[in-house]
Amino acid sequence: MPSYKLTYFNGRGRAEVSRLIFAVAGEKFEDVRYEMDQWPAHKAEMPLGQIPVLEVDGVKLPQSAAIARFLAKQFHLAGKDNFEQAKVDAVVDTIDDSFKGFVPTRFEKDEAKKEELTKKYFGEELPKHLQNLETLGKLYGNGGHFFVGKQLTWADLLFYTFAQAWIGVEADCLNNFPWLQQNRAEVEKQPKIAEYLKNRPNTPF
Amino acid sequence: MSTYKLYYFNVRGRGEVARLIFAAADQKYEDIRYEREEWVSHKSEMPLGQMPVLEYNGVKLPQSAAINRFLANQFHLAGKDNFDQAKVDAVVDTINDMISKYRPIRMEQDEAKQKELTKTFLADELPKHLQNLEGLGKLYGSGGSFFVGNNLTWADLYFYDIAQHILELDENIFNNYPWLKENRQQVEKQPKIAEYLKNRPKTSH
């Protein structure tokens, strides 16, 4: 049985999809969380000076998507064969495309500019990507509520956690996307996820 | 017998890594290249209205990274087990982090501004990404010249392809990065790749 240690900030961010994977799989792991002032002392320990990092039997792996995909494959949440895994990857890439424009809106220091960027993102950019995600869900979902093959995969978990960040800023952003709303509702209903969501730390991000 | 069709523009761009993987694997495929004017009438045939798209046994798959990883897995160029595959993914994500900083500069229309941005990219941004990549190669490469585990994987092909764009900015860039220089030379020396590079169409990018 390998030992798993996940290191990140004390927040959901880019590590939460991996925490959700561990929760669904019922697998134990060391959930290391650094506060912002603790992190500088550990930066040099990480291969790219960044987190999240997953340590598996003492070997460090950076890059949140590589980590999540590895864990999903370990615990059969990645798709049932190579082509299904590719469909899952395509959905994940499309979720990433959706999220790219969101990050600058959060870090903009000028309040007026931040409001403008945020309005543009939620008004023009995000809807296009959400449309694409609904298209993929209907193309690959075999008529079910999950993105690929009628089964929960890490694509559903990634969408769940990133969408939470969007909803935190703009509560109505999924109102025109019933398929995506239903997808998130299905994820929340999974017993191990419901349990995890009830008990996880409440953090600002 | 599985059938593979790759749809892209008549350039290297985001389609070339797939072509390199097919070449390394000596696998037949239909290499469909649309000129810009042709593309307009085919856009609605693609799941996300974008290319590249891989059609595998009649089913379409968008997103270049998902396509590349799928093909690498089909032809044993992805890493020998789940953890090696994760290391390959981490290298690929790190290459992506590097090139994502450069792509916006290429889109800049103002020539003077583009020259300034390129200068800043080369001086301030690029070195840390190349250092990170050398770091990963030494961490995962088992003492060899390939990024992961002493075997050619799609991470090496991806770096080979992206580096060509970087070399157009500074042809001597890898003189300061001997590990990366050797890595590219080892890729070029592979007989099937050498053959492919000699015969492929010459395109602007």
Side-chain angles (χ1 to χ4, degrees):
Chain A
M1 194 91 265
S3 73
Y4 301 105
K5 184 158 90 172
L6 181 68
T7 303
Y8 191 56
F9 298 109
N10 184 19
R12 295 180 303 279
R14 290 190 181 274
E16 193 65 8
V17 62
S18 292
R19 297 189 187 113
L20 284 164
I21 292 168
F22 279 120
V24 172
E27 287 283 337
K28 297 240 168 303
F29 71 108
E30 204 182 327
D31 187 15
V32 178
R33 293 167 178 255
Y34 290 141
E35 298 300 336
M36 290 296 174
D37 56 354
Q38 291 176 304
W39 162 237
H42 294 280
K43 199 172 151 78
E45 296 164 15
M46 306 305 170
L48 306 179
Q50 295 175 321
I51 39 182
V53 164
L54 180 74
E55 204 173 305
V56 184
D57 286 341
V59 183
K60 287 186 169 77
L61 181 75
Q63 297 288 8
S64 60
I67 292 168
R69 186 179 298 102
F70 167 73
L71 293 172
K73 280 155 76 176
Q74 290 289 94
F75 309 133
H76 311 294
L77 287 164
K80 65 171 173 25
D81 57 34
N82 193 14
F83 198 50
E84 264 206 8
Q85 290 176 12
K87 293 172 184 174
V88 171
D89 285 346
V91 174
V92 165
D93 288 350
T94 307
I95 296 167
D96 276 341
D97 286 346
S98 323
F99 204 72
K100 269 194 186 81
F102 181 60
V103 177
T105 71
R106 297 300 91 203
F107 286 99
E108 176 56 54
K109 298 235 155 59
D110 179 310
E111 276 302 322
K113 187 144 194 241
K114 185 173 178 167
E115 209 180 309
E116 196 194 319
L117 285 175
T118 303
K119 205 163 161 224
K120 192 154 189 246
Y121 174 76
F122 282 100
E124 295 168 28
E125 195 182 327
L126 183 60
K128 285 200 290 246
H129 294 294
L130 294 178
Q131 191 59 61
N132 281 343
L133 284 169
E134 283 216 340
T135 297
L136 292 183
K138 290 167 184 171
L139 182 62
Y140 296 145
N142 293 2
H145 297 299
F146 297 120
F147 276 109
V148 179
K150 277 202 142 109
Q151 283 184 315
L152 180 77
T153 66
W154 70 288
D156 304 293
L157 300 177
L158 184 67
F159 182 70
Y160 185 83
T161 189
F162 277 4
Q164 185 170 351
W166 295 322
I167 290 165
V169 176
E170 181 58 61
D172 297 334
C173 63
L174 295 186
N175 280 7
N176 295 327
F177 301 95
W179 193 95
L180 294 174
Q181 285 181 313
Q182 181 70 266
N183 169 268
R184 292 189 86 245
E186 283 301 316
V187 167
E188 276 174 338
K189 272 161 60 170
Q190 305 292 299
K192 294 208 181 93
I193 296 181
E195 182 69 24
Y196 172 74
L197 294 176
K198 209 172 62 177
N199 296 316
R200 71 177 171 182
N202 230 338
T203 53
F205 68 94
Chain B
M1 192 90 270
S2 290
T3 61
Y4 298 92
K5 269 192 211 181
L6 181 72
Y7 298 87
Y8 193 53
F9 297 104
N10 184 20
V11 293
R12 284 171 278 118
R14 291 180 187 273
E16 193 64 7
V17 177
R19 297 186 185 120
L20 283 164
I21 293 169
F22 279 122
D26 205 10
Q27 170 68 44
K28 296 237 167 305
Y29 69 109
E30 215 179 318
D31 184 17
I32 297 165
R33 295 168 179 250
Y34 289 141
E35 299 300 337
R36 289 274 160 190
E37 324 80 59
E38 265 184 288
W39 162 236
V40 177
S41 61
H42 292 283
K43 195 171 153 79
S44 61
E45 295 165 13
M46 306 304 170
L48 306 180
Q50 296 174 320
M51 299 193 290
V53 162
L54 178 75
E55 198 176 301
Y56 172 67
N57 293 341
V59 182
K60 287 188 167 73
L61 180 78
Q63 298 286 11
S64 59
I67 291 167
N68 296 338
R69 186 178 300 102
F70 168 68
L71 293 174
N73 273 306
Q74 290 290 92
F75 311 131
H76 311 294
L77 286 165
K80 66 171 173 23
D81 57 30
N82 193 11
F83 199 48
D84 261 16
Q85 288 167 19
K87 292 170 183 172
V88 171
D89 285 345
V91 174
V92 166
D93 287 351
T94 306
I95 296 166
N96 272 336
D97 286 345
M98 173 176 77
I99 205 65
S100 70
K101 293 279 186 262
Y102 177 57
R103 284 205 175 100
I105 298 174
R106 271 211 55 135
M107 308 292 259
E108 175 60 55
Q109 304 280 35
D110 181 313
E111 240 188 83
K113 188 154 192 229
Q114 192 187 58
K115 233 173 155 170
E116 189 57 48
L117 290 172
T118 301
K119 212 164 149 223
T120 311
F121 172 75
L122 287 172
D124 301 342
E125 187 69 41
L126 185 60
K128 60 174 185 252
H129 294 288
L130 294 179
Q131 272 151 35
N132 278 343
L133 286 168
E134 283 216 335
L136 292 183
K138 290 167 185 171
L139 181 62
Y140 298 145
S142 304
S145 305
F146 297 121
F147 275 108
V148 178
N150 254 330
N151 285 319
L152 179 78
T153 66
W154 70 286
D156 304 295
L157 299 177
Y158 189 30
F159 181 69
Y160 184 84
D161 183 59
I162 291 296
Q164 191 166 345
H165 299 291
I166 304 288
L167 283 164
E168 282 165 19
L169 301 180
D170 176 359
E171 61 182 8
N172 298 313
I173 186 85
F174 295 119
N175 289 350
N176 296 325
Y177 301 94
W179 193 95
L180 294 175
K181 194 171 182 178
E182 180 62 38
N183 169 268
R184 289 193 86 241
Q185 284 173 348
Q186 286 301 323
V187 168
E188 276 174 337
K189 271 160 66 169
Q190 305 292 301
K192 297 198 185 107
I193 299 188
E195 183 69 26
Y196 172 72
L197 293 175
K198 206 174 65 179
N199 294 319
R200 69 177 172 181
K202 297 249 173 299
T203 54
S204 55
H205 63 280

